[in-house]
Amino acid sequence: MQLPLHIASITNTWSQLMALMLDVNVTSSLATINWDNLNSSVNGKLFQYAPFARACFKDAEGVVGAYDANACAFAQAHYSDGQYRDTIPSSYQGLQWETCSSTGESCLLDWMNPLNEAAFAYPKACQQGSIPAYFLEVQSASDVQDAFKFSVETGVDLVVKNTGHEFQGRSARPGSLALWTKNLQKIAYEPAWIPTGCEDIAPRTAVRLEPGITFNDLYAFGEANNVTLPGGSTPSVSATGGYVLGGGHGGLSNTAGLGADRALEFTVVVPTGDVLIANACQNQDLFFALRGGGGGTFGVVMETVTLALPRTPIQVVTLDGLSTDVNTTRAFWKVLVDNSLVWANAGWGGYAAATSLQYINPLPISEEDAQTSMQPLTDFAAQLGLTVIHEQYESFAVFYQQILEPLYAISGFPLSTSSRLLPAQNFETPESREELLDALLNASANHSLTYVFATTPYAYKADNLTSVTPAWRDSLLLIEVLDTLEYNTTASEQREVIEGLSKSMDFLRNITPTSGTYFSESDLYEPDHEKSFWGANYEKLAEIKLKYDPLHVLDCWHCVGWKGRSDQAYSCYP
Ligand SMILES: Cc1cc2nc3c(=O)[nH]c(=O)nc-3n(C[C@H](O)[C@H](O)[C@H](O)COP(=O)(O)OP(=O)(O)OC[C@H]3O[C@@H](n4cnc5c(N)ncnc54)[C@H](O)[C@@H]3O)c2cc1C
């Protein structure tokens, strides 16, 4: 995958960009709505926000903000800076969700070279695309209650927008009101936590956190409190938000479970207006739904309590510098496929692509045992004149900061993906492994990037209170094939890319008919998505949706009980 140009950092002021947050009259189609009433009931926390690159455009249609050369230079310098993007309400990390693909309305820079004037010079005009018409900075449950009431009274669509990492545009929608939760930033250590209202439950070490806390914040907080707080790969992703609500995988998931497994309690405002606590003892149905049923569907989560694990050293193996020629990739992935079952049972998990691997093991094994179990990889690397590096890190967070973060820090470019969970039974015989390897190579051919994620909760003993597809539990790998898009890729070209990814993924779907995939990192056109994301849990989820959102105030693409492709809400989808 090509990375964006590095541009010298320009010391422009943050306040200049903030100045683009203007309170001006809304565009015509929304002008009849009385936004002032909502704004007064939420004490002035309603605002419009200019698209991220607004300041670069001399011409604009229906957006707030103004051309400003200095602010433009700042936006160009930070175009792929995920953590900076987190702070901008109108910013989406998958850039196509800032646009309306079907009409071509957009306000994007060329992410490969943000200085490329073709993207923003006159007569190109900056347009709102799928960026919500208004944002409400959520500070309390009553803000959410007011927004639900407003939506029911006016028919204005709502979306929940946190750090904007959603791959399927679920936190963007033209003409909508976005409940922006990123500034909910509290985090607290709970050394002896008992679920609210529960009796006879032994206290556990936990952390209570609001949705604006990212992995970057979480890992640092864990270090400061001498605990391990597992999570995902990219520092700017919210540690709860859509991650936990959709499932949430990471390098420690094999032994520590998914984000949804570790979520012990939610405080949530449901569309009926109630503020509820959901845990193993109360509102258990909602607890089940929030542990994997998907974000933006059952309510707005204000706070999550998540399990904290002891801070322990981890064994790490890394391999880098593999060539991308197909024979090398085949030989490398053969080692992964042949050893996945043994490695998962031994506690290993992590990340691989065609050219590199980072695997970790948090179990108390010696360095010698780690080397023995990774011998097939060492032998393979030696044949190519490469070395597998074995190290012990004092904690997952230290490993993350030194190894993973530099690899995954970049965000903020348009991307499409397709994915599949690979069940252990496909790894059982030499024949099934060979078939799997062929399918994997076919699925990845001609795409920008393939991730081989050993991030399934295979060795983790789960309770039966999560709603992710059970396919997660007996799978050894999650495969993701990705293609990047250009800033000016048209809707029909996007469709072609998405269909191409989907067709490639059929190689894996065909040999894993009972499996499924990850709700948050799937094909935009995932076939039979209800079965694929939730399996046998779907019917129960649909009932829970009706109970807590009978008026269907919340809706999103391929979410539980969604209104379907033809709904106006999805008019911008390619
Ligand atoms: C660069 C990148 C790296 C990623 N790495 C990983 C990874 O390592 N592991 C992994 O499992 N996933 C990963 N993801 C996927 C990520 O977990 C999902 O996209 C997730 O939905 C992002 O949630 P968000 O709240 O940060 O984003 P948003 O786009 O703001 O929200 C995503 C969804 O969650 C809903 N939502 C957000 N906050 C709330 C809330 N408080 N209450 C109710 N609904 C809410 C939104 O409505 C939307 O439907 C990655 C994504 C990207 C783009």
Side-chain angles (χ1 to χ4, degrees):
M1 180 167 50
Q2 278 180 283
L3 300 177
L5 277 189
H6 281 284
I7 307 155
S9 178
I10 292 165
T11 53
N12 202 337
T13 57
W14 158 240
S15 60
Q16 273 175 295
L17 267 189
M18 286 307 280
L20 295 176
M21 191 179 103
L22 300 172
D23 185 18
V24 301
N25 289 331
V26 285
T27 50
S28 55
S29 59
L30 296 166
T32 52
I33 307 286
N34 193 338
W35 295 89
D36 287 344
N37 281 354
L38 175 62
N39 196 30
S40 352
S41 63
V42 297
N43 300 319
K45 292 189 298 264
L46 192 64
F47 58 89
Q48 294 183 288
Y49 208 97
F52 191 91
R54 167 67 186 96
C56 297
F57 288 73
K58 289 198 170 140
D59 198 11
E61 290 162 10
V63 297
V64 298
Y67 170 74
D68 178 328
N70 288 335
C72 170
F74 189 84
Q76 287 170 320
H78 292 84
Y79 209 56
S80 294
D81 176 346
Q83 295 191 66
Y84 173 65
R85 277 191 165 271
D86 275 1
T87 65
I88 305 294
S90 60
S91 160
Y92 289 84
Q93 310 272 354
L95 290 185
Q96 71 269 40
W97 303 114
E98 291 182 13
T99 79
C100 179
S101 296
S102 60
T103 61
E105 286 175 39
S106 70
C107 188
L108 297 185
L109 302 182
D110 176 357
W111 66 274
M112 305 276 280
N113 173 11
L115 302 179
N116 177 5
E117 294 200 2
F120 57 87
Y122 185 83
K124 185 81 187 89
C126 173
Q127 297 153 318
Q128 191 79 359
S130 292
I131 297 169
Y134 272 90
F135 293 84
L136 195 175
E137 183 184 334
V138 175
Q139 287 177 3
S140 66
S142 70
D143 295 336
V144 178
Q145 289 167 323
D146 287 343
F148 284 154
K149 189 163 167 277
F150 171 81
S151 174
V152 170
E153 284 169 2
T154 60
V156 169
D157 277 1
L158 293 182
V159 291
V160 189
K161 164 78 181 3
N162 191 20
T163 64
H165 283 81
E166 178 54 57
F167 271 99
Q168 313 232 348
R170 295 176 178 122
S171 49
R173 189 171 309 169
S176 67
L177 166 63
L179 299 172
W180 189 48
T181 54
K182 168 63 190 156
N183 279 351
L184 292 169
Q185 290 278 340
K186 286 197 200 109
I187 181 163
Y189 180 55
E190 300 276 357
W193 182 83
I194 297 176
T196 313
C198 290
E199 287 165 15
D200 305 329
I201 286 198
R204 301 172 88 178
T205 309
V207 168
R208 180 186 292 279
L209 69 168
E210 292 185 335
I213 295 291
T214 61
F215 289 131
N216 195 44
D217 307 323
L218 185 81
Y219 298 148
F221 188 81
E223 282 299 275
N225 289 281
N226 202 28
V227 288
T228 298
L229 300 170
S233 58
T234 295
S236 54
V237 177
S238 163
T240 52
Y243 173 81
V244 162
L245 299 171
H249 64 99
L252 288 174
S253 290
N254 181 34
T255 51
L258 298 171
D261 289 317
R262 292 184 304 275
L264 302 176
E265 181 170 295
F266 300 93
T267 305
V268 54
V269 189
V270 290
T272 47
D274 299 314
V275 184
L276 300 176
I277 288 181
N279 61 29
C281 309
Q282 55 180 314
N283 299 308
Q284 290 100 327
D285 53 356
L286 189 57
F287 185 54
F288 166 83
L290 295 172
R291 289 172 111 207
T297 308
F298 300 96
V300 178
V301 174
M302 304 297 290
E303 186 182 88
T304 305
V305 178
T306 184
L307 184 66
L309 306 173
R311 182 177 184 267
T312 54
I314 59 168
Q315 299 293 334
V316 174
V317 290
T318 52
L319 171 61
D320 209 349
L322 289 155
S323 125
T324 52
D325 87 77
V326 71
N327 293 330
T328 308
T329 304
R330 186 180 181 96
F332 175 38
W333 288 353
K334 180 168 167 44
V335 177
L336 299 191
V337 168
D338 285 351
N339 292 282
S340 283
L341 188 54
V342 174
W343 286 342
N345 282 323
W348 292 95
Y351 302 88
T355 57
S356 68
L357 168 144
Q358 308 84 34
Y359 268 35
I360 59 180
N361 194 331
L363 299 183
I365 55 167
S366 67
E367 234 166 306
E368 203 182 1
D369 287 345
Q371 290 196 357
T372 307
S373 81
M374 282 291 154
Q375 196 60 45
L377 185 70
T378 308
D379 294 343
F380 160 74
Q383 286 164 22
L384 300 174
L386 298 171
T387 307
V388 171
I389 298 172
H390 284 257
E391 288 167 303
Q392 178 169 304
Y393 281 77
E394 59 183 283
S395 70
F396 169 72
V398 172
F399 155 75
Y400 177 82
Q401 198 187 24
Q402 290 179 22
I403 302 289
L404 279 194
E405 184 177 346
L407 296 172
Y408 287 95
I410 281 190
S411 199
F413 45 87
L415 194 68
S416 285
T417 186
S418 192
S419 61
R420 196 71 179 166
L421 287 161
L422 304 185
Q425 70 181 51
N426 291 76
F427 296 75
E428 274 168 7
T429 65
E431 295 74 27
S432 66
R433 289 198 293 272
E434 202 55 24
E435 179 187 58
L436 184 56
L437 186 58
D438 285 341
L440 182 53
L441 283 151
N442 284 329
S444 78
N446 306 318
H447 297 293
S448 311
L449 185 64
T450 298
Y451 282 122
V452 179
F453 288 140
T455 54
T456 57
Y458 187 73
Y460 177 80
K461 298 266 170 295
D463 57 30
N464 59 0
L465 291 174
T466 58
S467 46
V468 294
T469 171
W472 272 107
R473 307 286 170 200
D474 56 20
S475 289
L476 292 172
L477 298 176
L478 169 67
I479 302 299
E480 289 190 26
V481 178
L482 303 103
D483 277 324
T484 52
L485 308 170
E486 304 292 325
Y487 74 96
N488 54 359
T489 304
T490 64
S492 64
E493 288 165 345
Q494 276 189 45
R495 266 195 303 278
E496 232 172 83
V497 169
I498 298 162
E499 282 164 8
L501 284 162
S502 196
K503 206 163 161 223
S504 297
M505 198 47 62
D506 283 344
F507 286 108
L508 288 169
R509 289 187 186 121
N510 290 341
I511 61 163
T512 59
T514 58
S515 188
T517 196
Y518 178 25
F519 167 80
S520 294
E521 292 178 340
S522 74
D523 198 314
L524 192 64
Y525 306 144
E526 182 68 29
D528 202 358
H529 70 273
E530 291 158 354
K531 178 167 170 269
S532 185
F533 300 154
W534 300 291
N537 291 324
Y538 184 75
E539 267 177 43
K540 191 170 161 194
L541 284 170
E543 282 168 23
I544 299 168
K545 169 74 178 172
L546 266 184
K547 175 177 169 187
Y548 291 100
D549 189 10
L551 299 181
H552 214 105
V553 177
L554 294 173
D555 194 77
C556 45
W557 181 266
H558 281 187
C559 294
V560 171
W562 78 314
K563 289 180 186 160
R565 175 81 179 89
S566 58
D567 192 83
Q568 182 61 18
Y570 309 111
S571 60
C572 280
Y573 276 63

